[in-house]
Amino acid sequence: MSPSLRRVLVIVATAPLAATMLAAPSAVAVAADPAAAQRSATELDRTDRKMADNLDIRVRDRRLGGRVSGVVIDAKSDRTIWGHHAKTALMPASNVKLATAVAALTVLGPDHRFTTEVVHGHGTLTLVGGGDHTLTTGDLDALAKDAVAGLKRAGVTSVRVRVDGRLFPRPTRATGWKRGYYPGEVTPVRALAVAGHAVMDTSLDAGQVFARLLAQRGVTVTGGVNRGAAGARDVTVGQHRSAKLSRIVRRMLKVSDNDIAESLLRMTALGAGRPATFEGGTAAVRNVLSGTYGVSLANFRMYDGSGLSRATRIPAQTLAEILDLTVDPRHTRTLKYVADGLPVAGQRGSTLGPEWGRFDTAASRCAVGKVRAKTGTLTGAIALSGMTKAQDGRWKVFSFVENGSPAAASATKDALDGLAATVNGCWA
């Protein structure tokens, strides 16, 4: 898809604080009334010029440091309203999740679900991972309930338990990952995990949780929990299917879940016929962005699905183009869930909530409920990419990425929030 094509912004905002996003007039209708088109262009130029002038001043805020890549695009016309080193590739932190989400939805589809199974054979229950990093203890309890019911019907009261995580290869660290990321920032990527369990071996941990739940239901587990492959003739005694991928993507973006992102990267690789590795996943992402949608990947280097890699480099221009895809009417059926999942300024329970100190300054408070954006934070790198309805009534897509600011992270985030409020126009 050529970024020069005109688009109509069509989003239904689901968050309570978000304004309803309505369809803009079609390009055909504007072309049919040249006078109206000229008036519209005049108004757009006047209001956007004011925005650009303000951004030119505010992007030089000391809190942002000297390395900033930024861009603002009019979502309907695709005109670049403002740019500041827009094609300079910087470390984007969790803004990488935008690319991961678009690729996953495109390759797997919004209705895709991940399946975790329990199979039985030769006195052993095997918990088979299906890449679902939203699996909860409650989900495992439901699997245990089904498994125990089958065992009791067969008169079996004692079993061995093993875990099968062969869907993904042995975990490795991505290029640019620190050793200290494990297990607090991200866990070693395995196909079986209990959501929220920050442990080094998520597969064995899930198996141990499952074994305890079996014991609570009266089945004796012998020999501890081991790794092993499910037998070809093992019988399925329990199955859990995750929520739809559309919901998982929204969850990942709202809370910036690194484990979900890395699992989605591998499942996308498998869906594209590639190895379930960092390399296979990022190759699939690049193919979707450039091959399917025509996004320019000049200066684009991506090494993981979460944005934790300090080797990743992506320009603000590319991030904005990725977001612009999600509001293209030809792609909204598949990609609208990315826009829906963006945190809303001031929304509790998201990375733009007041608990994170976002949009709470005199300059940015006016944009609460008016800005949707993905956050990104690493030591020495802070990013904010999203969309807002500006004062001219038109939707703008923006991306701001800074690296190396000497200011405290909280101060840099305040400055970025101010840039977003400038795009909205409430900070005039």
Side-chain angles (χ1 to χ4, degrees):
M1 180 201 67
S2 170
S4 65
L5 293 175
R6 297 171 68 85
R7 301 183 183 120
V8 179
L9 183 61
V10 183
I11 301 176
V12 176
T14 56
L17 292 173
T20 302
M21 302 184 178
L22 302 176
S26 70
V28 174
V30 172
D33 184 356
Q38 185 175 4
R39 288 195 302 273
S40 177
T42 301
E43 292 176 4
L44 178 64
D45 290 345
R46 183 172 60 249
T47 55
D48 285 346
R49 187 180 301 113
K50 181 178 180 181
M51 177 210 304
D53 288 344
N54 285 335
L55 287 172
D56 280 338
I57 296 169
R58 293 165 186 171
V59 77
R60 291 174 172 78
D61 190 314
R62 293 181 183 178
R63 296 172 296 176
L64 294 174
R67 299 180 64 206
V68 182
S69 176
V71 69
V72 179
I73 299 172
D74 182 83
K76 180 184 175 184
S77 67
D78 285 339
R79 187 198 310 192
T80 297
I81 304 303
W82 175 85
H84 180 83
H85 301 302
K87 295 183 179 180
T88 298
L90 296 176
M91 191 173 11
S94 282
N95 276 207
V96 167
K97 293 183 176 75
L98 296 170
T100 302
V102 164
L105 288 165
T106 301
V107 172
L108 301 174
D111 294 334
H112 185 83
R113 298 174 187 265
F114 305 111
T115 302
T116 305
E117 286 189 316
V118 178
V119 299
H120 179 258
H122 305 290
T124 300
L125 284 177
T126 304
L127 187 61
V128 183
D132 180 12
H133 274 245
T134 66
L135 188 73
T136 67
T137 299
D139 298 331
L140 285 176
D141 191 40
L143 283 172
K145 179 181 178 181
D146 291 343
V148 168
L151 293 175
K152 287 184 176 179
R153 284 194 296 270
V156 177
T157 59
S158 177
V159 294
R160 294 181 295 275
V161 171
R162 66 186 171 198
V163 292
D164 183 345
R166 292 176 300 158
L167 186 64
F168 294 171
R170 181 186 295 273
T172 60
R173 286 196 305 275
T175 299
W177 275 19
K178 294 181 177 180
R179 290 182 179 274
Y181 286 162
Y182 287 157
E185 295 294 334
V186 67
T187 59
V189 190
R190 292 182 167 86
L192 181 61
V194 180
H197 284 205
V199 296
M200 289 298 291
D201 195 324
T202 59
S203 291
L204 283 179
D205 173 68
Q208 290 160 358
V209 171
F210 182 64
R212 288 196 296 271
L213 294 168
L214 290 172
Q216 291 173 13
R217 293 182 176 276
V219 171
T220 300
V221 177
T222 63
V225 176
N226 300 290
R227 278 184 238 277
R233 296 185 178 181
D234 286 2
V235 177
T236 299
V237 294
Q239 188 179 83
H240 171 75
R241 299 185 71 209
S242 72
K244 291 180 179 180
L245 177 60
S246 56
R247 288 186 57 189
I248 293 174
V249 163
R250 289 197 295 262
R251 171 68 180 172
M252 174 188 73
L253 295 174
K254 283 197 181 297
V255 301
S256 203
D257 192 301
N258 295 324
D259 290 316
I260 291 177
E262 297 304 344
S263 181
L264 290 188
L265 187 73
R266 280 158 176 71
M267 296 304 290
T268 300
L270 291 174
R274 298 175 182 270
T277 60
F278 289 111
E279 296 76 14
T282 54
V285 172
R286 287 192 295 270
N287 185 62
V288 167
L289 294 179
S290 63
T292 303
Y293 298 117
V295 174
S296 172
L297 297 185
N299 303 321
F300 181 98
R301 289 185 289 162
M302 177 180 173
Y303 294 99
D304 65 8
S306 62
L308 285 172
S309 173
R310 302 187 64 79
T312 292
R313 296 291 185 273
I314 303 178
Q317 180 73 42
T318 305
L319 292 168
E321 288 182 16
I322 291 170
L323 271 176
D324 206 19
L325 292 173
T326 71
V327 295
D328 184 323
R330 296 173 301 166
H331 307 309
T332 50
R333 182 176 180 180
T334 300
L335 301 182
K336 65 181 179 180
Y337 306 101
V338 176
D340 289 348
L342 294 175
V344 177
Q347 182 185 49
R348 287 193 176 276
S350 78
T351 56
L352 280 185
E355 64 269 38
W356 295 100
R358 303 306 297 260
F359 288 86
D360 61 356
T361 67
S364 64
R365 196 174 293 118
C366 63
V368 166
K370 301 175 183 178
V371 169
R372 283 179 169 268
K374 180 68 193 79
T375 57
T377 305
L378 286 175
T379 302
I382 299 178
L384 189 69
S385 300
M387 56 192 67
T388 186
K389 192 173 185 178
Q391 296 303 296
D392 60 5
R394 299 167 69 101
W395 287 93
K396 316 297 181 185
V397 175
F398 63 84
S399 178
F400 305 112
V401 184
E402 75 76 28
N403 282 185
S405 170
S410 59
T412 301
K413 291 175 183 177
D414 286 343
L416 288 181
D417 293 349
L419 294 184
T422 303
V423 177
N424 174 265
C426 65
W427 185 25

